[in-house]
Amino acid sequence: MTRALSTPADFQLPELKIPILVQLGLTYRCNLKCSHCYALYRRDRAEFTFDELQQLVDDLYDAGSAAVVYSHGENMIRRDFHEVAALFRDRDFYQTLMLNGYYVREPEDAQRLVDCGINRTMISLDSVDPEVHDRVRGKSGAYQTAMRAISLLLDTSLDTVGLSCTIDRHNYDAIEEIIQLALDHGVHAISFMQNRYNIRDTFDRELWRRYEMACAEIYELMLRHRGTLDIYTHDPFMLTILDNRPDDRAARDAFIGSNLCNVGTSMVSIDPVGNVTGCNFISEAVGNVREEPFADIWRRLVDKYSDSREPPRGACTNCGVLSSCMGGCKAFHYVDKYDERCGETRFGESRPHGLPVTDVEALVPDRAPGVFLGMPGARIGLPLNGGTER
């Protein structure tokens, strides 16, 4: 008897909610100023101390967490980064490090990541054109720095060395070129993440027709290179174009899992000062681990984002693919419980749905007040709470 292929609906609305994946920021500090950075104006120097992180590791382990993704800032800026990673290593966490490459300068730097338990590294790379990448990342030489780090990391025993690519107008037409670069260098994986627009005056509904084409192209390229290069997007909309061609059960399940919105079901984000949110791209905090137990915050977060208790609505009303994408990306739930990218016309449809929508001008993503805090030269090497700058 042939086993039926899995579907996205099989993975939506799980009864048991466990914060398996933790997006964790050890610092907001960074030596770049990326044009799309969701954390650029949230930076705060009152970051976790090492002792606080020791307690947090225990709390997350007790809650059932099993994987951590280091994000928010350039985490290797902290001099105690490797010691913190070792704490998670000793609890058998699967560890993914997002990085720009500046602190992987020598073979020894790459090997230290292996030794402290990092399993997967994802280096930021937005273009095969150095000028485009440097412009997006806000620093001359960023491209060459990233490529150097990729080479050094590939020479280690890391499970995965991948590329993290933010896609938008500047590189929609270069997706296949970026994939070819990954293939040429022997990279294992590549993530294409659509800009989540957490910065004022960037949201534009006219963009989405082009993004639909990009999604279709990425899907076909994923099929073409399966088994050689792991290509994914982290976007629930991709689940609406899944067909029967991915017929290997494990690979199909992995594709579905990588594109689900796991906010409040199996994922949580904790920023460098303890604020707990649904994911990195959601600014509204549900609590702070410095003020109350993580387990209590997690229960509240699950209730807040429950699609079982309060199903998606608005543009999702009577949508034929709701069981696949389940309201899309919650970071785009600007107005109500639906992905604003479907604000006028649903993803994959050519005609407006005719449901009430909010003016684009009113859809300004919330952004905490603050100023850019980069790497002022006068402070290099001075202790800053949990770690010191490099």
Side-chain angles (χ1 to χ4, degrees):
M1 181 177 178
T2 303
R3 189 178 182 182
L5 293 175
S6 56
T7 68
D10 298 332
F11 296 83
Q12 301 285 8
L13 307 178
E15 292 185 13
L16 186 62
K17 280 81 171 178
I18 301 174
I20 296 172
L21 174 63
V22 181
Q23 297 173 327
L24 177 63
L26 304 181
T27 183
Y28 271 129
R29 288 172 280 156
C30 186
N31 56 336
L32 300 185
K33 192 176 180 181
C34 303
S35 61
H36 56 266
C37 182
Y38 64 86
L40 197 60
Y41 295 92
R42 300 183 193 172
R43 294 181 173 170
D44 190 325
R45 296 295 183 103
E47 57 199 38
F48 285 121
T49 65
F50 184 80
D51 289 345
E52 286 177 316
L53 288 165
Q54 282 185 303
Q55 181 60 54
L56 182 61
V57 171
D58 291 341
D59 293 345
L60 293 174
Y61 181 83
D62 291 343
S65 302
V68 61
V69 178
Y70 297 104
S71 54
H72 292 77
E74 185 62 23
N75 287 277
M76 290 182 73
I77 284 177
R78 279 185 64 134
R79 290 190 182 278
D80 62 357
F81 170 75
H82 301 87
E83 288 73 24
V84 174
L87 296 174
F88 284 97
R89 176 200 65 198
D90 294 344
R91 288 289 199 168
D92 293 325
F93 275 70
Y94 187 92
Q95 301 187 76
T96 298
L97 173 63
M98 313 297 291
L99 69 162
N100 60 34
Y102 271 87
Y103 298 103
V104 181
R105 304 178 178 119
E106 304 292 341
E108 293 78 11
D109 299 326
Q111 185 57 43
R112 284 193 73 191
L113 294 177
V114 177
D115 296 341
C116 70
I118 299 299
N119 305 97
R120 185 183 187 93
T121 55
M122 300 297 290
I123 303 95
S124 300
L125 194 78
D126 297 322
S127 176
V128 299
D129 183 339
E131 291 186 6
V132 173
H133 177 84
D134 291 359
R135 183 177 71 250
V136 171
R137 294 289 163 176
K139 188 167 185 174
S140 177
Y143 177 88
Q144 294 303 330
T145 298
M147 295 305 299
R148 177 191 64 193
I150 291 167
S151 177
L152 291 170
L153 292 165
L154 284 169
D155 285 339
T156 69
S157 60
L158 281 165
D159 293 346
T160 303
V161 177
L163 305 181
S164 177
C165 180
T166 298
I167 55 174
D168 208 331
R169 295 175 176 86
H170 64 270
N171 58 4
Y172 280 150
D173 294 329
I175 288 172
E176 189 163 8
E177 293 178 353
I178 295 169
I179 288 176
Q180 189 58 54
L181 180 145
L183 292 167
D184 291 344
H185 286 81
V187 167
H188 309 127
I190 182 164
S191 164
F192 289 106
M193 175 72 81
Q194 169 61 42
N195 187 350
R196 266 14 182 208
Y197 297 110
N198 290 71
I199 299 177
R200 183 183 293 271
D201 299 329
T202 58
F203 187 85
D204 182 2
R205 282 191 179 131
E206 296 301 318
L207 179 70
W208 303 126
R209 300 286 73 81
R210 180 64 186 88
Y211 178 58
E212 287 183 9
M213 297 169 58
C215 286
E217 180 184 11
I218 291 169
Y219 185 69
E220 294 302 323
L221 289 166
M222 177 206 74
L223 292 174
R224 182 190 307 173
H225 298 295
R226 54 183 166 176
T228 302
L229 180 65
D230 185 15
I231 302 171
Y232 52 97
T233 66
H234 303 295
D235 194 330
F237 284 172
M238 290 292 287
L239 300 175
T240 69
I241 60 178
L242 176 66
D243 55 27
N244 290 336
R245 284 178 289 172
D247 52 6
D248 176 81
R249 182 71 184 219
R252 187 178 181 88
D253 289 355
F255 173 83
I256 294 173
S258 69
N259 288 294
L260 292 173
C261 181
N262 295 321
V263 170
T265 58
S266 62
M267 183 182 74
V268 67
S269 176
I270 305 176
D271 81 357
V273 297
N275 294 314
V276 180
T277 64
C279 81
N280 292 352
F281 303 112
I282 297 175
S283 62
E284 182 183 0
V286 181
N288 190 295
V289 294
R290 284 172 157 169
E291 300 170 358
E292 58 182 316
F294 171 76
D296 293 345
I297 301 173
W298 171 248
R299 284 191 288 270
R300 194 159 62 245
L301 188 146
V302 167
D303 182 67
K304 176 179 177 61
Y305 291 106
S306 173
D307 290 322
S308 300
R309 179 181 58 81
E310 190 177 357
R313 51 183 176 255
C316 295
T317 304
N318 298 322
C319 178
V321 294
L322 177 59
S323 63
S324 292
C325 83
M326 196 52 62
C329 172
K330 289 180 172 60
F332 279 113
H333 285 197
Y334 294 156
V335 183
D336 203 347
K337 287 205 70 173
Y338 67 91
D339 191 316
E340 179 50 39
R341 293 177 294 175
C342 291
E344 289 182 342
T345 304
R346 294 190 184 110
F347 185 88
E349 297 183 1
S350 58
R351 296 181 179 178
H353 48 63
L355 296 166
V357 296
T358 302
D359 291 340
V360 174
E361 289 74 15
L363 300 174
V364 180
D366 180 39
R367 186 176 72 187
V371 296
F372 173 64
L373 296 176
M375 294 285 291
R379 297 185 65 88
I380 299 294
L382 296 179
L384 289 169
N385 293 315
T388 56
E389 295 184 355
R390 292 175 179 266

